Amino acid sequence: MSNETVAADPPAPSTGRARNPRTHQAILDATVQLLGEVGYQDLSIERVASRAGVGKATIYRWWNSKSALVIEAMERGLPVELPEHTGDPRTDLRAAIQSAVQTYAVGQVGSTVPALAAEVSRDATGAEQLRQFLRPRRDAAREVLHQAAAVGTLPPDVDIETVIDLFIGAIFYRSLVRKLPVDAVMVEQLVELILDGRLPRTIP
Amino acid sequence: MSNETVAADPPAPSTGRARNPRTHQAILDATVQLLGEVGYQDLSIERVASRAGVGKATIYRWWNSKSALVIEAMERGLPVELPEHTGDPRTDLRAAIQSAVQTYAVGQVGSTVPALAAEVSRDATGAEQLRQFLRPRRDAAREVLHQAAAVGTLPPDVDIETVIDLFIGAIFYRSLVRKLPVDAVMVEQLVELILDGRLPRTIP
Amino acid sequence: MSNETVAADPPAPSTGRARNPRTHQAILDATVQLLGEVGYQDLSIERVASRAGVGKATIYRWWNSKSALVIEAMERGLPVELPEHTGDPRTDLRAAIQSAVQTYAVGQVGSTVPALAAEVSRDATGAEQLRQFLRPRRDAAREVLHQAAAVGTLPPDVDIETVIDLFIGAIFYRSLVRKLPVDAVMVEQLVELILDGRLPRTIP
Amino acid sequence: MSNETVAADPPAPSTGRARNPRTHQAILDATVQLLGEVGYQDLSIERVASRAGVGKATIYRWWNSKSALVIEAMERGLPVELPEHTGDPRTDLRAAIQSAVQTYAVGQVGSTVPALAAEVSRDATGAEQLRQFLRPRRDAAREVLHQAAAVGTLPPDVDIETVIDLFIGAIFYRSLVRKLPVDAVMVEQLVELILDGRLPRTIP
DNA sequence: GGTTAAGCGAGACGGTACGTCCGGTCTTATT
DNA sequence: AATAAGACCGGACGTACCGTCTCGCTTAACC
């Protein structure tokens, strides 16, 4: 269901020296480190190579762009944390939404996504890689909503993908575009919107 | 209501020659042109200067970054289109949402916003500029929702800003991050969610 | 009289598989081809290997430098053409000088020699290889001059090596350094200088 | 009579900031230094830039190849030493030949010339630059031989250019191609050849 | 209305990074 | 054991821009 790798590995070579796994891990590690230290914009292939003790050409051999490298590095180095499943729709949905807040409004991943989105805007392959990267982040939420629909907490024909876009989009947009904090109140507003159809209210 | 200029004008010159308006317009025009031709990523100050027939230093004198230049150019060159006000909440909200779709999912502006969001993530001044740029885009929606709350279509204590984040976020995220189209169905889903508390449903 | 091979053969293999003659010929052939197509400067080991269908390491195993490879390739692939011996000193000397013109001012070999000379300037082994490569080219001239001294056309104590340096040097320098053509007039001037002690004259 | 500059300066810019002479001197100085330290082959534009404290692009702006840079650096940094003129043909010719020995068989210039000759072999512009670089080195010799022809020591119709090629070629070829030393004996052999028509003899 | 400071074009400049090529060395599997 | 294939580190290539800095010219603003 999830992709194995995001990188566009060149056609499997039938002969020749095998790919050195240590080298590749070093590159991915260096990428994650630099992402945390200087951010996506100031991360250069040259610095990754130097940090990893690797030739630039080795990086270009296996990844054809900075975005492809960063996506794979984040996949392996910053895995999605899956909250436990209780079975109670409200509890589980709240956990899923809080997980999205963690991802987009707190962690390293979120602040990198706008740059990736911008970078792949003229690159169909990159766009697909980005989609595949985001997919597992949505899986937990999807499962929770499926469960809720199954037990009747949500209507059976609810459009789950759009519901997910609703709360991830709100968190993403408020945090990364408008640069405003996303607090517990907003999480609760989103939970109530989805489970109760109650629009967000201001606190009196 | 909106800011006059986004640029950080240098210290007021007590004497000497004044800023040449023709030069500035040429720079902004060239920026809008290049934004359409090559996109934000490949737009360089050097190309803008060359296209505008202007020295690079003149650009740096009046704008301290590419993002500041682009924001001002978009403000002046790609003004927000304001749909007319009918007084019917459903009609007006639908128009406001469609306007957001136009902005983020169709036009030149939307595809630039992720890049701006990424660029200003480490720059408080830039973040404020971006917020001010986005403000007028929200104003129409805010007014519609105020009106709806006034006539009782929405609860009086509805959190209008969060409602706006909800539908702009969903459109923005689906279109620009997930690179999926935003169609009329989704617009209707958003209208019904806000006015009827009805979660999005799949089409049977 | 001439060396058998210029290459620094690795330590004599006491056991194991022997050097593959087909492979070696393919390498030398590819080298001669590329020398003609792109010249010495742009000839790379990588291209030779690819053209010959051979691994780079195989080349490095048998030749320790590009110059060694090229020298051996030219020895085998572009052999010196020896003019027939008539016994008449003037005819034979003229033929020897014309042969030098062919070598240095017309063929593939000459234009490679400056590059080799430059390359081996800090490499004693390479210098010796270059000397050995050039030796057979001098042999014909030496024999002609010996014969002339024997029959009294030249003084018995003539310094034959220096005489050879004189005419080869003049041809080499004018053609390859000054990039000027070497014509029949100059050949005759050299013949008369050596046999008659007549300095070169301008044509009236 | 001599060229003013070898570099292919871009068309004189009528406007804009003036070329910084200190920067250019620093580049030429660094080139001469590195030429002495590592030789032409291992001299890279990158090292010159780093040594001179200069951006690579600045070098490429004014010189379009390594050879053009090196030629101009040698012209300015390793000027030809002119022996004094006595009026006696034999003395002056000996001095001119010894000067050629200094240049080609001892100094930094000579060992660089084969590399230059090789590099410009497919480049007409470079070939012309090399010719112009060599010209002043020949001027002293030319004047001496003109003088000798004027006073009757040489035939009036002597082909002076070819005579110069003869002795420079012999020195150049023996020293740089055959890697043999050029001693006082050879100088005397060349003087006697030219002034007396006496072929070189071996020392008994 | 003459003086003068600033605006301005052009572009030089030191840097950083780009993406590519090649040099030499080293595995790996094949022959 | 020699080889074809090719991964790998490192160094250099020539180019594009960055943001800053002169130049010399032009022109508006103040005396």
Side-chain angles (χ1 to χ4, degrees), chain A residues 71-95:
Chain A
I71 287 175
E72 185 169 341
M74 289 197 305
E75 271 183 339
R76 293 212 209 283
L78 303 173
V80 54
E81 71 252 24
L82 297 165
E84 39 194 324
H85 220 119
T86 70
D88 172 51
R90 189 165 299 261
T91 305
D92 288 346
L93 178 60
R94 184 181 295 116

mmCIF file of all heavy atoms in Angstrom, chain A residues 71-95:
data_model
loop_
_atom_site.group_PDB
_atom_site.id
_atom_site.type_symbol
_atom_site.label_atom_id
_atom_site.label_comp_id
_atom_site.label_asym_id
_atom_site.label_seq_id
_atom_site.Cartn_x
_atom_site.Cartn_y
_atom_site.Cartn_z
ATOM 1 N N ILE A 71 12.826 13.997 -0.055
ATOM 2 C CA ILE A 71 11.648 13.174 0.215
ATOM 3 C C ILE A 71 12.054 11.808 0.738
ATOM 4 O O ILE A 71 11.541 11.333 1.749
ATOM 5 C CB ILE A 71 10.786 13.053 -1.061
ATOM 6 C CG1 ILE A 71 10.073 14.374 -1.329
ATOM 7 C CG2 ILE A 71 9.772 11.928 -0.916
ATOM 8 C CD1 ILE A 71 9.298 14.408 -2.631
ATOM 9 N N GLU A 72 13.014 11.182 0.076
ATOM 10 C CA GLU A 72 13.416 9.865 0.564
ATOM 11 C C GLU A 72 14.064 9.959 1.940
ATOM 12 O O GLU A 72 13.837 9.106 2.800
ATOM 13 C CB GLU A 72 14.371 9.179 -0.426
ATOM 14 C CG GLU A 72 14.677 7.774 0.046
ATOM 15 C CD GLU A 72 15.403 6.932 -0.978
ATOM 16 O OE1 GLU A 72 15.364 7.284 -2.177
ATOM 17 O OE2 GLU A 72 16.022 5.923 -0.577
ATOM 18 N N ALA A 73 14.851 11.000 2.149
ATOM 19 C CA ALA A 73 15.502 11.140 3.462
ATOM 20 C C ALA A 73 14.463 11.318 4.564
ATOM 21 O O ALA A 73 14.595 10.734 5.645
ATOM 22 C CB ALA A 73 16.455 12.336 3.436
ATOM 23 N N MET A 74 13.429 12.098 4.284
ATOM 24 C CA MET A 74 12.404 12.295 5.308
ATOM 25 C C MET A 74 11.610 11.027 5.526
ATOM 26 O O MET A 74 11.241 10.705 6.663
ATOM 27 C CB MET A 74 11.482 13.450 4.914
ATOM 28 C CG MET A 74 12.166 14.801 5.006
ATOM 29 S SD MET A 74 10.999 16.183 5.040
ATOM 30 C CE MET A 74 10.061 15.900 3.571
ATOM 31 N N GLU A 75 11.348 10.309 4.464
ATOM 32 C CA GLU A 75 10.630 9.043 4.618
ATOM 33 C C GLU A 75 11.354 8.106 5.572
ATOM 34 O O GLU A 75 10.749 7.480 6.432
ATOM 35 C CB GLU A 75 10.510 8.346 3.264
ATOM 36 C CG GLU A 75 9.285 8.749 2.508
ATOM 37 C CD GLU A 75 9.194 7.962 1.215
ATOM 38 O OE1 GLU A 75 10.225 7.453 0.747
ATOM 39 O OE2 GLU A 75 8.081 7.869 0.679
ATOM 40 N N ARG A 76 12.667 7.991 5.351
ATOM 41 C CA ARG A 76 13.425 7.040 6.158
ATOM 42 C C ARG A 76 13.839 7.622 7.505
ATOM 43 O O ARG A 76 13.909 6.910 8.498
ATOM 44 C CB ARG A 76 14.686 6.630 5.404
ATOM 45 C CG ARG A 76 14.442 5.835 4.153
ATOM 46 C CD ARG A 76 15.600 4.856 3.953
ATOM 47 N NE ARG A 76 15.811 4.557 2.546
ATOM 48 C CZ ARG A 76 15.042 3.740 1.843
ATOM 49 N NH1 ARG A 76 14.004 3.158 2.396
ATOM 50 N NH2 ARG A 76 15.328 3.516 0.571
ATOM 51 N N GLY A 77 14.101 8.913 7.544
ATOM 52 C CA GLY A 77 14.696 9.495 8.739
ATOM 53 C C GLY A 77 13.690 10.131 9.681
ATOM 54 O O GLY A 77 13.981 10.300 10.864
ATOM 55 N N LEU A 78 12.544 10.502 9.167
ATOM 56 C CA LEU A 78 11.522 11.129 10.008
ATOM 57 C C LEU A 78 10.209 10.384 9.826
ATOM 58 O O LEU A 78 9.252 10.924 9.296
ATOM 59 C CB LEU A 78 11.345 12.597 9.618
ATOM 60 C CG LEU A 78 12.579 13.489 9.670
ATOM 61 C CD1 LEU A 78 12.272 14.864 9.099
ATOM 62 C CD2 LEU A 78 13.072 13.620 11.103
ATOM 63 N N PRO A 79 10.159 9.117 10.282
ATOM 64 C CA PRO A 79 8.972 8.304 10.004
ATOM 65 C C PRO A 79 7.753 8.864 10.723
ATOM 66 O O PRO A 79 7.872 9.506 11.763
ATOM 67 C CB PRO A 79 9.353 6.929 10.547
ATOM 68 C CG PRO A 79 10.376 7.195 11.584
ATOM 69 C CD PRO A 79 11.117 8.426 11.132
ATOM 70 N N VAL A 80 6.608 8.617 10.165
ATOM 71 C CA VAL A 80 5.356 9.075 10.764
ATOM 72 C C VAL A 80 5.095 8.316 12.073
ATOM 73 O O VAL A 80 5.261 7.104 12.145
ATOM 74 C CB VAL A 80 4.189 8.884 9.771
ATOM 75 C CG1 VAL A 80 4.141 7.453 9.280
ATOM 76 C CG2 VAL A 80 2.873 9.283 10.377
ATOM 77 N N GLU A 81 4.745 9.087 13.113
ATOM 78 C CA GLU A 81 4.433 8.404 14.383
ATOM 79 C C GLU A 81 2.938 8.072 14.409
ATOM 80 O O GLU A 81 2.098 8.949 14.200
ATOM 81 C CB GLU A 81 4.822 9.253 15.592
ATOM 82 C CG GLU A 81 3.950 10.467 15.830
ATOM 83 C CD GLU A 81 4.672 11.760 15.486
ATOM 84 O OE1 GLU A 81 5.617 11.696 14.656
ATOM 85 O OE2 GLU A 81 4.321 12.791 16.043
ATOM 86 N N LEU A 82 2.679 6.807 14.638
ATOM 87 C CA LEU A 82 1.292 6.354 14.584
ATOM 88 C C LEU A 82 0.706 6.297 15.993
ATOM 89 O O LEU A 82 1.181 5.535 16.837
ATOM 90 C CB LEU A 82 1.232 4.960 13.943
ATOM 91 C CG LEU A 82 1.712 4.909 12.496
ATOM 92 C CD1 LEU A 82 1.970 3.470 12.056
ATOM 93 C CD2 LEU A 82 0.656 5.556 11.597
ATOM 94 N N PRO A 83 -0.334 7.093 16.267
ATOM 95 C CA PRO A 83 -0.954 7.012 17.587
ATOM 96 C C PRO A 83 -1.743 5.706 17.718
ATOM 97 O O PRO A 83 -2.218 5.164 16.717
ATOM 98 C CB PRO A 83 -1.892 8.229 17.605
ATOM 99 C CG PRO A 83 -2.186 8.509 16.177
ATOM 100 C CD PRO A 83 -1.007 8.036 15.389
ATOM 101 N N GLU A 84 -1.832 5.214 18.941
ATOM 102 C CA GLU A 84 -2.530 3.943 19.146
ATOM 103 C C GLU A 84 -4.032 4.097 18.893
ATOM 104 O O GLU A 84 -4.603 5.164 19.027
ATOM 105 C CB GLU A 84 -2.289 3.442 20.575
ATOM 106 C CG GLU A 84 -2.298 4.575 21.600
ATOM 107 C CD GLU A 84 -1.725 4.121 22.938
ATOM 108 O OE1 GLU A 84 -1.960 2.950 23.313
ATOM 109 O OE2 GLU A 84 -1.065 4.937 23.619
ATOM 110 N N HIS A 85 -4.598 2.981 18.590
ATOM 111 C CA HIS A 85 -5.993 2.919 18.202
ATOM 112 C C HIS A 85 -6.835 2.481 19.390
ATOM 113 O O HIS A 85 -6.659 1.389 19.915
ATOM 114 C CB HIS A 85 -6.128 1.869 17.082
ATOM 115 C CG HIS A 85 -7.072 2.271 16.008
ATOM 116 N ND1 HIS A 85 -6.686 2.432 14.694
ATOM 117 C CD2 HIS A 85 -8.384 2.546 16.040
ATOM 118 C CE1 HIS A 85 -7.717 2.772 13.970
ATOM 119 N NE2 HIS A 85 -8.767 2.861 14.768
ATOM 120 N N THR A 86 -7.770 3.318 19.852
ATOM 121 C CA THR A 86 -8.581 2.901 21.008
ATOM 122 C C THR A 86 -9.908 2.287 20.612
ATOM 123 O O THR A 86 -10.497 1.502 21.353
ATOM 124 C CB THR A 86 -8.886 4.108 21.917
ATOM 125 O OG1 THR A 86 -9.810 4.971 21.235
ATOM 126 C CG2 THR A 86 -7.621 4.877 22.254
ATOM 127 N N GLY A 87 -10.434 2.655 19.463
ATOM 128 C CA GLY A 87 -11.745 2.166 19.074
ATOM 129 C C GLY A 87 -12.825 3.212 19.278
ATOM 130 O O GLY A 87 -13.868 3.181 18.622
ATOM 131 N N ASP A 88 -12.547 4.179 20.150
ATOM 132 C CA ASP A 88 -13.517 5.265 20.324
ATOM 133 C C ASP A 88 -13.287 6.309 19.250
ATOM 134 O O ASP A 88 -12.206 6.896 19.174
ATOM 135 C CB ASP A 88 -13.345 5.899 21.707
ATOM 136 C CG ASP A 88 -14.200 7.152 21.856
ATOM 137 O OD1 ASP A 88 -15.407 7.070 21.570
ATOM 138 O OD2 ASP A 88 -13.637 8.202 22.218
ATOM 139 N N PRO A 89 -14.287 6.582 18.401
ATOM 140 C CA PRO A 89 -14.080 7.489 17.274
ATOM 141 C C PRO A 89 -13.574 8.865 17.696
ATOM 142 O O PRO A 89 -12.648 9.394 17.104
ATOM 143 C CB PRO A 89 -15.467 7.581 16.640
ATOM 144 C CG PRO A 89 -16.137 6.307 17.008
ATOM 145 C CD PRO A 89 -15.618 5.956 18.366
ATOM 146 N N ARG A 90 -14.139 9.443 18.714
ATOM 147 C CA ARG A 90 -13.738 10.795 19.104
ATOM 148 C C ARG A 90 -12.288 10.826 19.579
ATOM 149 O O ARG A 90 -11.499 11.689 19.172
ATOM 150 C CB ARG A 90 -14.681 11.316 20.205
ATOM 151 C CG ARG A 90 -14.486 12.805 20.530
ATOM 152 C CD ARG A 90 -15.671 13.353 21.341
ATOM 153 N NE ARG A 90 -16.911 13.246 20.605
ATOM 154 C CZ ARG A 90 -17.473 14.259 19.922
ATOM 155 N NH1 ARG A 90 -16.883 15.442 19.902
ATOM 156 N NH2 ARG A 90 -18.589 14.084 19.279
ATOM 157 N N THR A 91 -11.950 9.884 20.404
ATOM 158 C CA THR A 91 -10.568 9.831 20.888
ATOM 159 C C THR A 91 -9.596 9.610 19.737
ATOM 160 O O THR A 91 -8.563 10.286 19.627
ATOM 161 C CB THR A 91 -10.419 8.668 21.903
ATOM 162 O OG1 THR A 91 -11.394 8.846 22.926
ATOM 163 C CG2 THR A 91 -9.025 8.639 22.491
ATOM 164 N N ASP A 92 -9.942 8.667 18.883
ATOM 165 C CA ASP A 92 -9.017 8.340 17.798
ATOM 166 C C ASP A 92 -8.897 9.479 16.794
ATOM 167 O O ASP A 92 -7.816 9.768 16.290
ATOM 168 C CB ASP A 92 -9.477 7.059 17.078
ATOM 169 C CG ASP A 92 -9.239 5.834 17.960
ATOM 170 O OD1 ASP A 92 -8.499 5.968 18.959
ATOM 171 O OD2 ASP A 92 -9.793 4.762 17.644
ATOM 172 N N LEU A 93 -10.010 10.146 16.510
ATOM 173 C CA LEU A 93 -9.937 11.257 15.560
ATOM 174 C C LEU A 93 -9.121 12.393 16.150
ATOM 175 O O LEU A 93 -8.291 13.006 15.467
ATOM 176 C CB LEU A 93 -11.344 11.757 15.216
ATOM 177 C CG LEU A 93 -11.373 12.951 14.254
ATOM 178 C CD1 LEU A 93 -10.718 12.601 12.933
ATOM 179 C CD2 LEU A 93 -12.808 13.426 14.033
ATOM 180 N N ARG A 94 -9.333 12.670 17.442
ATOM 181 C CA ARG A 94 -8.545 13.726 18.078
ATOM 182 C C ARG A 94 -7.053 13.390 17.976
ATOM 183 O O ARG A 94 -6.221 14.250 17.666
ATOM 184 C CB ARG A 94 -8.954 13.882 19.542
ATOM 185 C CG ARG A 94 -8.243 15.042 20.233
ATOM 186 C CD ARG A 94 -8.647 15.173 21.693
ATOM 187 N NE ARG A 94 -10.055 15.520 21.842
ATOM 188 C CZ ARG A 94 -10.963 14.738 22.416
ATOM 189 N NH1 ARG A 94 -10.615 13.546 22.885
ATOM 190 N NH2 ARG A 94 -12.203 15.125 22.497
ATOM 191 N N ALA A 95 -6.726 12.137 18.207
ATOM 192 C CA ALA A 95 -5.310 11.730 18.118
ATOM 193 C C ALA A 95 -4.789 11.905 16.698
ATOM 194 O O ALA A 95 -3.656 12.362 16.477
ATOM 195 C CB ALA A 95 -5.158 10.271 18.563
#
